[in-house]
Amino acid sequence: MRELRPGVWAWQSKHPDWDAEQWWPELVSSYAVELGDALAVHTPPADTWQDWVETFGVDPDRVRGMESEDLAWLRAGEGQGQGHFHGPGAWPFGVHAYAGREDNELILWLPSINAIVTGDSLSDFGDGLDIQLGGRKHVTRDDVVGRLRPLLDLPVELVLPAHGEPTDRAALERVLS
């Protein structure tokens, strides 16, 4: 883990479901940002098996009941108020979420540090920061650029992608121009 600036830390680790047949990079980037005194998890809802059927046309009988385990505790109501699901719009701590390629694939604007956390929609899969559709057929690159272009109206200084190294406003401008 390294400190990017006071109150902002970054690290990378291997994705637990990655293997050599995947189209996405092995390493994922994670960030911790100090925004207040309390420790709480704020996240978009994880994909459900129904989302996979609708988005990718997967046979429902192959995936029925399968869901991401990383947020199972929150879906089950555990954590006693320490975890919350949010969609696009205003979040606690002055954070604002913008829809990326989907409403649960969000880009977070953190005005207190002039940074965005980009999720998978806007990541570096080895060729620099770019729009990543992830095999989705119901959305185009132009759709995602249109959704994210309002980010250029913000004083973004730091871009924190889910894949790749932290970067700057110039990289964001290249992608969304």
Side-chain angles (χ1 to χ4, degrees):
M1 181 182 321
R2 68 186 195 275
E3 191 169 21
L4 300 175
R5 57 170 71 166
V8 181
W9 297 269
W11 66 96
Q12 289 188 321
S13 57
K14 293 179 181 179
H15 190 290
D17 295 329
W18 187 88
D19 62 38
E21 295 180 18
Q22 300 300 331
W23 53 269
W24 37 271
E26 178 180 15
L27 295 179
V28 292
S29 300
S30 297
Y31 307 95
V33 179
E34 189 175 326
L35 294 175
D37 293 334
L39 177 63
V41 173
H42 296 274
T43 182
D47 288 334
T48 64
W49 67 268
Q50 294 98 329
D51 293 329
W52 298 334
V53 170
E54 183 178 311
T55 302
F56 300 107
V58 176
D59 179 356
D61 293 330
R62 292 186 55 213
V63 296
R64 191 177 319 279
M66 294 173 57
E67 296 197 3
S68 174
E69 292 300 317
D70 58 347
L71 295 173
W73 65 274
L74 186 52
R75 282 192 306 275
E78 300 171 11
Q80 300 179 2
Q82 294 303 305
H84 309 276
F85 288 118
H86 304 281
W91 285 28
F93 307 108
V95 173
H96 190 89
Y98 293 82
R101 60 189 184 206
E102 299 181 49
D103 282 350
N104 71 340
E105 174 48 44
L106 302 176
I107 285 66
L108 304 179
W109 163 238
L110 288 69
S112 64
I113 60 169
N114 287 343
I116 57 172
V117 181
T118 66
D120 289 338
S121 292
L122 187 59
S123 281
D124 181 351
F125 282 14
D127 296 320
L129 190 70
D130 205 354
I131 302 295
Q132 307 296 336
L133 296 179
R136 285 152 178 84
K137 305 292 186 212
H138 66 284
V139 64
T140 67
R141 183 181 198 289
D142 288 342
D143 293 336
V144 178
V145 168
R147 290 179 184 179
L148 299 182
R149 193 160 282 127
L151 296 172
L152 296 176
D153 295 333
L154 304 171
V156 174
E157 297 171 5
L158 186 61
V159 177
L160 306 172
H163 296 275
E165 291 292 324
T167 190
D168 59 15
R169 181 180 184 85
L172 179 66
E173 289 174 352
R174 277 191 301 277
V175 174
L176 299 181
S177 296

